[in-house]
Amino acid sequence: MLQGLAFYLLAATAVVSGLLVVTARNPVHSVLWLILAFFSSAGLFVLMGAEFLAMLLVVVYVGAVAVLFLFVVMMLDVDFVRLREGYARYLPLGGIVAGILLAEMIMVSMAVVQGGAARDVTGPAVASADASNIETIGRVLYTDYVYFFQAAGIVLLIAMIGAIVLTLRHKPGIKRQDVSRQVGRDAKTAMEVKSVQTGVGVTPEELR
């Protein structure tokens, strides 16, 4: 009874907050509604027994993506009134796409309720009865799919390097670090730091 009540409460909150993300006039309010939608979805994942996905949703999306959106919206001077000028023009097309997605979700839900392809599945597959959901995902990710995991990391690294190279701008008059020159310096070009006696003050004669 309590689990069913929590499901309907979280589901209704997620749907309503998702609608308010699109319809809110203030972009800051849209980001705040988005954070509420993420928290509600994380609660639904907890009810399904997928606590790892719930943790990822809170840590990654709420703690990083949504906060980044909030800072970008608050710091950039974006003319949102101009961006919303084409809202009414594309509203019929958006309604058609939303209707198609709603029909697909209804069909999938009816197939799941009637049995469908998952009628023989009794529950989530785990490595052992004593292993938790997070432990099972870790075993599968770092054993069977370790090469795919490393490949995904390499792709993200290449994308990060490409973004840095594309956005890097060299401005005249700004000193930049030359690593090869620093490593290859000799005694003539190096800076010599003389020993300084600590605990002794400077007299006015020395300052003159």
Side-chain angles (χ1 to χ4, degrees), residues 17-76:
S17 58
L19 292 175
L20 291 174
V21 169
V22 183
T23 58
R25 294 182 178 274
N26 193 335
V28 178
H29 295 169
S30 297
V31 177
L32 295 178
W33 287 118
L34 181 63
I35 294 175
L36 179 59
F38 284 152
F39 272 114
S40 302
S41 302
L44 293 175
F45 278 126
V46 171
L47 292 178
M48 295 172 60
E51 65 276 3
F52 181 71
L53 295 178
M55 181 186 68
L56 285 181
L57 195 62
V58 173
V59 173
V60 177
Y61 285 93
V62 177
V65 177
V67 175
L68 179 62
F69 286 168
L70 185 61
F71 275 101
V72 169
V73 168
M74 295 178 65
M75 293 179 65
L76 296 182

Side-chain angles (χ1 to χ4, degrees), residues 174-193:
I174 297 178
K175 294 183 179 180
R176 306 187 63 86
Q177 184 180 12
D178 192 350
V179 180
S180 60
R181 187 177 178 183
Q182 289 177 345
V183 175
R185 70 183 186 275
D186 52 8
K188 296 180 180 180
T189 59
M191 180 183 295
E192 182 180 357
V193 180

Side-chain angles (χ1 to χ4, degrees), residues 4-208:
L5 181 62
F7 169 77
Y8 286 112
L9 180 61
L10 292 172
T13 304
V15 172
V16 173
S17 58
L19 292 175
L20 291 174
V21 169
V22 183
T23 58
R25 294 182 178 274
N26 193 335
V28 178
H29 295 169
S30 297
V31 177
L32 295 178
W33 287 118
L34 181 63
I35 294 175
L36 179 59
F38 284 152
F39 272 114
S40 302
S41 302
L44 293 175
F45 278 126
V46 171
L47 292 178
M48 295 172 60
E51 65 276 3
F52 181 71
L53 295 178
M55 181 186 68
L56 285 181
L57 195 62
V58 173
V59 173
V60 177
Y61 285 93
V62 177
V65 177
V67 175
L68 179 62
F69 286 168
L70 185 61
F71 275 101
V72 169
V73 168
M74 295 178 65
M75 293 179 65
L76 296 182
D77 189 12
V78 181
D79 190 2
F80 290 96
V81 177
R82 184 177 180 183
L83 293 176
R84 292 179 179 272
E85 289 179 354
Y87 179 78
R89 180 175 31 172
Y90 296 105
L91 184 60
L93 180 60
I96 294 174
V97 175
I100 294 174
L101 293 176
L102 180 61
E104 290 179 353
M105 287 189 291
I106 292 175
M107 292 173 60
V108 171
S109 301
M110 293 177 60
V112 171
V113 171
Q114 295 177 0
R119 60 180 178 273
D120 297 330
V121 178
T122 57
V126 295
S128 63
D130 299 331
S132 62
N133 190 13
I134 299 177
E135 183 179 355
T136 303
I137 293 176
R139 289 180 181 178
V140 175
L141 182 63
Y142 295 110
T143 54
D144 298 337
Y145 300 98
V146 62
Y147 295 110
F148 297 99
F149 181 77
Q150 295 294 333
I154 294 174
V155 170
L156 292 176
L157 177 62
I158 295 174
M160 181 184 67
I161 295 175
I164 294 174
V165 172
L166 291 175
T167 57
L168 185 61
R169 297 291 183 270
H170 296 281
K171 297 181 180 180
I174 297 178
K175 294 183 179 180
R176 306 187 63 86
Q177 184 180 12
D178 192 350
V179 180
S180 60
R181 187 177 178 183
Q182 289 177 345
V183 175
R185 70 183 186 275
D186 52 8
K188 296 180 180 180
T189 59
M191 180 183 295
E192 182 180 357
V193 180
K194 296 183 178 180
S195 60
V196 179
Q197 186 178 1
T198 60
V200 179
V202 179
T203 60
E205 290 75 11
E206 294 176 348
L207 291 176
R208 295 174 184 175

